[in-house]
Amino acid sequence: MHILIIEDDLAIAANLYDFLESRGHSADAAANGIAGLHLAVTQRFDGILLDLGLPGMNGMTLCRKLREESQVDTPVLMLTARDTLEDKLEGFENGADDYLVKPFALKEIEARLIAMHKRYLGKVANRMLEVDKLSYDPKTRSIRFADTTVKLPPKCIRLLALMMSEPGRVFSRKELESEAWEDVQETSDTLRSHMHVLRRTLTRAGGYDPIETIHGLGYCLIPRAEAKD
Ligand code: CA
């Protein structure tokens, strides 16, 4: 997971950073509320560790702005020295997903980040997705393109739904493979052939191929306004 740490206590921030990296995650850190909000809005994270007492902008305000003004739904775990019920309720009202009182155990931080991420993925998986003339209905697992229902193998649907969840973002082969095949190891030829079927079918149905190969990186669903052809 890619985690954003917003914490002005540099010793705590360094401790969190080192722990997360040692567990195979990657992290970015901000030491004040304004820099933290900027990172949270402009970059993509799987979770945010948010201290409440911050210079510049406090954690409650940051969280509320993130949800209400920027419409960013990245899971937020609030970290605080305050542990009254009112503090917790205020945190949830401002859009926090979870709450942990200092001092905390690093392993518990990781467990909660993973749990929040799983809930988030479940929520995303049930969201109707629409990109230009393409739409994906998670309830029926069906794809429509230019007003036509497109018949696709289930793995192609999973690949497309993942790319539709973030149009314009490049998905690596590894990310796409783990979405479509979960734990089963497949060769990169398998992904390539599924991509080929997917792109050919979409082109036939809608008249153009919305997917682009980003050489050396992976694949990306290009919103129509940005497509070259
Ligand atoms: Ca603080």
Side-chain angles (χ1 to χ4, degrees):
M1 290 187 295
H2 187 42
I3 306 298
L4 174 60
I5 302 162
I6 308 176
E7 167 67 81
D8 63 320
D9 184 319
L10 297 182
I12 293 177
N15 207 7
L16 288 167
Y17 190 94
D18 291 346
F19 172 74
L20 290 171
E21 299 255 315
S22 77
R23 302 285 300 170
H25 307 291
S26 60
D28 256 333
N32 67 69
I34 293 161
L37 181 61
H38 179 73
L39 274 175
V41 170
T42 55
Q43 294 186 29
R44 186 187 162 275
F45 295 95
D46 298 310
I48 299 173
L49 294 175
L50 178 63
D51 179 35
L52 285 189
L54 288 167
M57 181 191 300
N58 71 47
M60 288 290 182
T61 306
L62 191 160
C63 197
R64 197 180 62 243
K65 281 180 181 285
L66 188 69
R67 300 297 193 230
E68 288 176 7
E69 292 175 17
S70 305
Q71 308 278 316
V72 171
D73 60 355
T74 310
V76 169
L77 172 55
M78 280 188 175
L79 305 173
T80 175
R82 296 180 292 182
D83 69 341
T84 69
L85 179 62
E86 285 72 32
D87 289 325
K88 288 180 192 173
L89 294 178
E90 193 190 349
F92 290 127
E93 272 164 25
N94 282 304
D97 296 271
D98 203 355
Y99 194 100
L100 206 52
V101 177
K102 293 173 180 176
F104 44 74
L106 289 168
K107 278 191 175 161
E108 184 171 7
I109 293 262
E110 188 193 24
R112 287 186 187 233
L113 283 171
I114 290 170
M116 285 196 320
H117 187 54
K118 277 190 187 154
R119 284 199 298 271
Y120 177 76
L121 291 180
K123 208 167 63 184
V124 169
N126 287 315
R127 195 173 65 187
M128 178 94 187
L129 300 173
E130 281 181 22
V131 182
D132 304 322
K133 293 178 188 167
L134 255 181
S135 66
Y136 167 67
D137 183 347
K139 291 193 192 79
T140 54
R141 292 191 157 268
S142 61
I143 301 279
R144 286 179 71 80
F145 194 24
D147 299 322
T148 323
T149 301
V150 184
K151 272 198 168 314
L152 282 164
K155 284 184 170 59
C156 289
I157 293 177
R158 291 170 78 156
L159 292 170
L160 182 61
L162 180 65
M163 286 187 286
M164 286 178 73
S165 69
E166 280 184 76
R169 173 171 166 237
V170 179
F171 287 89
S172 68
R173 291 182 177 83
K174 211 172 157 188
E175 280 177 291
L176 291 162
E177 280 164 3
S178 66
E179 173 70 19
W181 289 276
E182 289 168 353
D183 297 331
V184 187
Q185 292 295 315
E186 298 276 338
T187 67
S188 57
D189 278 351
T190 318
L191 176 65
R192 202 171 299 135
S193 57
H194 278 81
M195 274 294 175
H196 180 73
V197 170
L198 174 59
R199 297 172 77 166
R200 195 185 52 197
T201 311
L202 289 177
T203 306
R204 278 185 189 153
Y208 68 96
D209 176 8
I211 297 167
E212 207 162 281
T213 307
I214 313 294
H215 289 288
L217 293 173
Y219 298 92
C220 177
L221 184 78
I222 309 281
R224 196 67 179 129
E226 293 169 29
K228 284 186 213 119
D229 53 343

